[in-house]
Amino acid sequence: MVRSRGASRRPAATLERAASGGGGDITSKMPDVQDSVPPKNSGVAEGGSRESKKAGSPRKESSGPQDPAPRLTESATEVSKTNKVGTNHGEEKTLPPSRSSEELDAKDAAFSRLRPLVKIGKKKEELRQRNRRLEGKVKETMPNDFWDHLKEQLSATPPDFSCALELLKEIREILLSLLLPRQNRLRTEIEEALDMNFLQQEAERGALNVSYLSKYILNVMTLLCAPVRDEAVQKLENITDTVRLLRGIFQVLSLMKMDMVNYTIQSLQPQPQEHSIQYERAVFQELLKEQPGLLNHTTKWLTQAVADLTSPPSCIDVSESASVAGPSPNEAASTQEPLNPAMVLSQGFLNLLLWDPENEEFPETLLTDRTRLQELECQLHQLTILASVLLVASSFSGSVLFGSPQFVDKLKRITKSLLEEFNSGPEEAMQSVSEQVSQEIHQSLKTMGLAALSSDSTTSLMGQLQNIATKENCVRSVIDQRIHLFLKCCLVLGVQRSLLDLPGGLTLIEAELAELGQKFVNLTHHNQQVFGPYYTDILKNLISPAQAVKTKVESL
C-alpha cells in the first residue's frame, strides 16, 4: 500500500495520543465520533494500471468508492408496510385490499426488472474480492524450492541457466501482456531484449548475464506499473542478490497483472453503472408517485442524524472530562462548524450500523441494502472484539511479541476461530479466548527466551480478556467508538487516506478494517448516487436557515 506523504487526520492522531498509555490503563478518553471528522471530500489513488508514462496512458484509477450495480430488490412484504395514507385528523386509513394488491404486484414487477443488473453487480464484486484474495497469495505463486534450486544452478560451476531461461520466458510474456495495443515501439524493444533464441545461445556459451537482464526488466516495470506499485518497484532497485531480485520482480509482476484486470473491469463499468443508477431512481420515482409518504421513514432517519450532530453529548463524566484538555461542552457547541448534507448523511449511515432490529421504521431508500448493512454490523462487532483482545494482550506482553507479524497473525487466527460462538455464549467464548491467548503468550515468551508473565499478571490478563464479553467493558467501548470514527473518516476522506493515521488500538487489524471500510463506502456511495436528489430535498427542510447561510445545501 502506497501512502502519500504528509497526509494525516487530526481526529485520529488525537485518539492515538489518548490511547498511548501503558499496559495498566488502556481506557483513555475518546471524543464523540460525530464531532471528530472535518467535512472534507477527497480521495487518493489506488490500484489500476497504466501504460508507459511517456505515452500518457491512464496512470491510475480513482479510489473513490464505486459500487458496481443497483440492489433494489425490495419485497412486497416490505413495501406493504408503507401502504397507508393519512386523513385530515391524523388517523391512518388502510388502502382497499384490491387496490393495494394491484399496487404491490406492479411494484414487485418493477423491481424484478432490476434483477439482471443486480447479477452484474454481484459478479463484479466477486471479481474484486477474488483479486484481493489473490493479491495476498502472490508470495505463494512459486514454492521456495524453485528459488532455492535456481540459486543452486546459478551458483554452480559452470552455471546452469535452465531454470533462469524458463523464468525469463514467463516474465517476457507478462510484460508483453501489460502493453496497450498502441505501444508497438516498446513491444518491439522487449521482444528484442528478451529474444529467447538469442538468450538460449548465450546460455549455451555460459555468457548469459542474468543480473543485467533483471535490471532491464526492472526499468520496463518502472514504465508500466500503476502508481500504487511505484514503491514496490523502487524497493526492488535496492536488491543486489540476483535470485532475490528475480523473485521480487515476479511477485510484483503478478500484482501488475491483477492491476490490469481491475483497470479493464473499471473501464467497462461506468456506462452500465450510470444506466443502472438512472433506472433504479426512475423505478423509485414511480413508486413515490403512487405513495407520496414513501419517504417518511427516510425523513425521520435524517432528522435523527441532524439531532445527533447538533445535540451535545448526553452523558459526560465530569471527573474524566476535567482531566482532559479541551473546550467545555458549551464552548464546543458555540464553535461547532455548520452542518452540510455530507456530514448529515455520513452520520445517518453510521447510525444504520447501530440500528435496533425491533425498529421497523428503516429508511425506505435503504431497505434493499438492509441485509448487507446487517452483515457489515456483524463484521464490525467481530472486529471490535478482536481488536479489544489484541489491545489487552499487547499491554501485557509488550512490543517484542507484537512486533512479530507471525505471532500477531497466529493470535488473530486463534481468536477469530474461538469468537465464532460469541453471539450464542459471549462469556464462554471469552473464557476460551482468555485461556488460549494467555497460553500462547506464555509459550512464545518462553520460546524467545524472555521472562514469563507472573501469576498475578496472568490472572489479570485473563480477567481483562473475559470482561470484554460485557457490552459496558471500557476497552470494548473505546475500540467500538474508534472503529466508528474510522468508518466516518472513510466516508469523508476515502479508505486509503483513512488508513494513513489509524487511531490507537486499530493498527493490528488494518487489513480487516480496510475491507470493512471499502464495503461500507461502496454501499453508501451507490446509495447516494441513486437517492441523492431525494436526500437533498429532505435536508433543505432539516438544516436551519442560519446554517444554510454559512453552508449552501447543494445537490448530493
Side-chain angles (χ1 to χ4, degrees):
M1 177 175 59
V2 179
R3 300 187 175 189
S4 58
R5 298 191 182 103
S8 65
R9 294 182 295 103
R10 288 177 291 175
T14 302
L15 293 178
E16 189 164 4
R17 288 195 297 271
S20 61
D25 182 12
I26 51 178
T27 58
S28 50
K29 188 74 174 178
M30 172 172 176
D32 286 346
V33 172
Q34 61 265 29
D35 296 329
S36 301
V37 184
K40 297 180 182 178
N41 185 14
S42 58
V44 65
E46 65 175 342
S49 178
R50 65 169 187 258
E51 65 171 291
S52 171
K53 296 172 184 174
K54 299 177 183 178
S57 58
R59 278 184 54 90
K60 55 189 174 182
E61 69 185 54
S62 171
S63 67
Q66 295 184 359
D67 199 23
R71 299 168 303 283
L72 267 172
T73 54
E74 182 177 15
S75 65
T77 303
E78 292 169 327
V79 177
S80 65
K81 295 175 183 175
T82 61
N83 268 345
K84 295 183 179 180
V85 295
T87 65
N88 295 333
H89 301 288
E91 300 175 353
E92 291 183 343
K93 180 179 179 181
T94 305
L95 293 173
S98 58
R99 179 182 175 185
S100 177
S101 176
E102 292 173 358
E103 287 184 355
L104 292 178
D105 291 341
K107 291 165 192 171
D108 191 53
F111 284 126
S112 66
R113 297 198 298 269
L114 294 168
R115 287 170 187 163
L117 294 174
V118 173
K119 291 180 179 179
I120 294 175
K122 290 181 178 178
K123 184 63 176 177
K124 290 179 179 178
E125 183 65 25
E126 289 174 359
L127 285 173
R128 279 195 291 270
Q129 292 178 358
R130 184 191 66 181
N131 284 339
R132 285 195 292 268
R133 290 193 298 268
L134 286 174
E135 184 168 346
K137 295 182 179 180
V138 166
K139 293 182 179 180
E140 302 173 5
T141 303
M142 285 190 175
N144 292 329
D145 293 345
F146 172 83
W147 301 107
D148 293 339
H149 184 56
L150 175 63
K151 187 172 184 177
E152 291 177 1
Q153 286 190 341
L154 296 180
S155 302
T157 305
D160 182 354
F161 296 107
S162 56
C163 284
L165 286 172
E166 290 298 322
L167 184 61
L168 289 172
K169 181 179 179 181
E170 189 164 354
I171 289 176
R172 176 181 183 271
E173 296 302 319
I174 294 176
L175 289 176
L176 293 176
S177 70
L178 295 175
L179 298 176
L180 297 177
R182 64 174 177 270
Q183 292 181 295
N184 296 322
R185 183 176 178 180
L186 186 55
R187 182 181 299 275
T188 301
E189 179 185 316
I190 294 174
E191 289 175 344
E192 292 178 354
L194 297 176
D195 185 337
M196 297 312 300
N197 292 330
F198 175 76
L199 295 182
Q200 180 68 44
Q201 295 174 7
E202 290 290 295
E204 291 173 355
R205 294 192 300 111
L208 184 64
N209 193 336
V210 179
S211 178
Y212 171 79
L213 292 172
S214 300
K215 295 295 182 183
Y216 169 77
I217 293 169
L218 201 56
N219 291 334
V220 176
M221 291 170 61
T222 303
L223 297 176
L224 296 179
C225 72
V228 73
R229 305 299 173 200
D230 284 343
E231 184 178 357
V233 174
Q234 290 173 4
K235 288 182 179 179
L236 295 178
E237 295 175 355
N238 300 324
I239 300 177
T240 57
D241 182 76
T242 303
V243 175
R244 284 185 58 212
L245 178 58
L246 284 171
R247 185 171 189 172
I249 286 173
F250 194 80
Q251 291 174 358
V252 176
L253 280 176
S254 299
L255 296 177
M256 290 171 63
K257 284 176 62 178
M258 287 187 287
D259 292 338
M260 178 60 76
V261 172
N262 289 332
Y263 174 74
T264 303
I265 292 175
Q266 294 298 333
S267 65
L268 297 175
Q269 179 177 336
Q271 185 174 357
Q273 182 181 5
E274 181 62 27
H275 174 73
S276 70
I277 291 170
Q278 295 175 357
Y279 187 57
E280 192 171 346
R281 187 185 299 158
V283 172
F284 188 83
Q285 181 62 36
E286 182 182 339
L287 300 178
L288 189 60
K289 288 180 180 179
E290 298 174 1
Q291 293 187 77
L294 191 59
L295 289 172
N296 288 347
H297 295 166
T298 302
T299 303
K300 290 183 180 180
W301 165 61
L302 292 176
T303 302
Q304 182 60 49
V306 171
D308 291 340
L309 290 171
T310 55
S311 301
S314 57
C315 297
I316 300 178
D317 188 321
V318 178
S319 61
E320 288 186 1
S321 61
S323 63
V324 179
S328 65
N330 291 335
E331 291 173 338
S334 63
T335 59
Q336 187 180 39
E337 52 187 317
L339 295 182
N340 62 53
M343 291 172 62
V344 176
L345 271 178
S346 295
Q347 183 62 41
F349 287 131
L350 285 171
N351 289 345
L352 296 174
L353 297 178
L354 301 171
W355 197 266
D356 182 4
E358 302 298 325
N359 187 352
E360 296 294 337
E361 297 184 348
F362 201 81
E364 297 89 347
T365 55
L366 285 144
L367 277 174
T368 54
D369 289 319
R370 190 167 188 176
T371 300
R372 295 179 65 192
L373 285 165
Q374 289 172 342
E375 292 173 355
L376 293 179
E377 181 182 359
C378 181
Q379 187 176 350
L380 186 152
H381 176 70
Q382 292 174 346
L383 289 183
T384 299
I385 304 300
L386 175 61
S388 300
V389 169
L390 295 176
L391 183 58
V392 171
S394 64
S395 68
F396 280 87
S397 56
S399 59
V400 178
L401 284 184
F402 277 79
S404 168
Q406 293 81 5
F407 173 78
V408 174
D409 289 341
K410 184 176 183 180
L411 208 60
K412 286 164 71 172
R413 289 195 303 270
I414 293 173
T415 305
K416 288 178 181 179
S417 175
L418 295 174
L419 288 179
E420 292 179 358
E421 305 298 328
F422 185 90
N423 291 333
S424 58
E427 289 80 10
E428 294 78 3
M430 291 311 302
Q431 174 70 30
S432 300
V433 168
S434 66
E435 294 173 356
Q436 290 293 327
V437 168
S438 60
Q439 180 180 344
E440 189 63 33
I441 290 177
H442 176 78
Q443 183 61 39
S444 298
L445 289 173
K446 182 179 179 181
T447 302
M448 299 178 68
L450 301 174
L453 294 179
S454 64
S455 58
D456 291 342
S457 296
T458 302
T459 302
S460 180
L461 168 62
M462 295 182 64
Q464 290 195 32
L465 290 175
Q466 292 169 20
N467 288 338
I468 295 175
T470 61
K471 293 182 179 180
E472 297 77 14
N473 177 261
C474 296
V475 178
R476 179 173 166 181
S477 298
V478 170
I479 292 295
D480 182 68
Q481 288 179 319
R482 291 176 180 178
I483 293 180
H484 278 85
L485 172 59
F486 167 77
L487 291 176
K488 189 165 190 177
C489 287
C490 289
L491 295 179
V492 177
L493 305 175
V495 177
Q496 295 304 317
R497 286 188 61 186
S498 301
L499 290 170
L500 295 179
D501 189 15
L502 284 174
L506 302 186
T507 54
L508 295 177
I509 58 168
E510 179 177 344
E512 292 84 353
L513 283 177
E515 179 183 357
L516 174 66
Q518 194 60 58
K519 288 180 180 179
F520 189 52
V521 168
N522 286 344
L523 187 152
T524 57
H525 180 71
H526 179 81
N527 182 266
Q528 289 184 60
Q529 287 183 307
V530 176
F531 300 104
Y534 304 107
Y535 295 149
T536 299
D537 292 340
I538 295 172
L539 290 173
K540 283 180 180 179
N541 298 323
L542 294 180
I543 298 179
S544 65
Q547 292 171 323
V549 171
K550 298 181 181 180
T551 173
K552 183 179 179 182
V553 179
E554 299 176 349
S555 173
L556 297 169

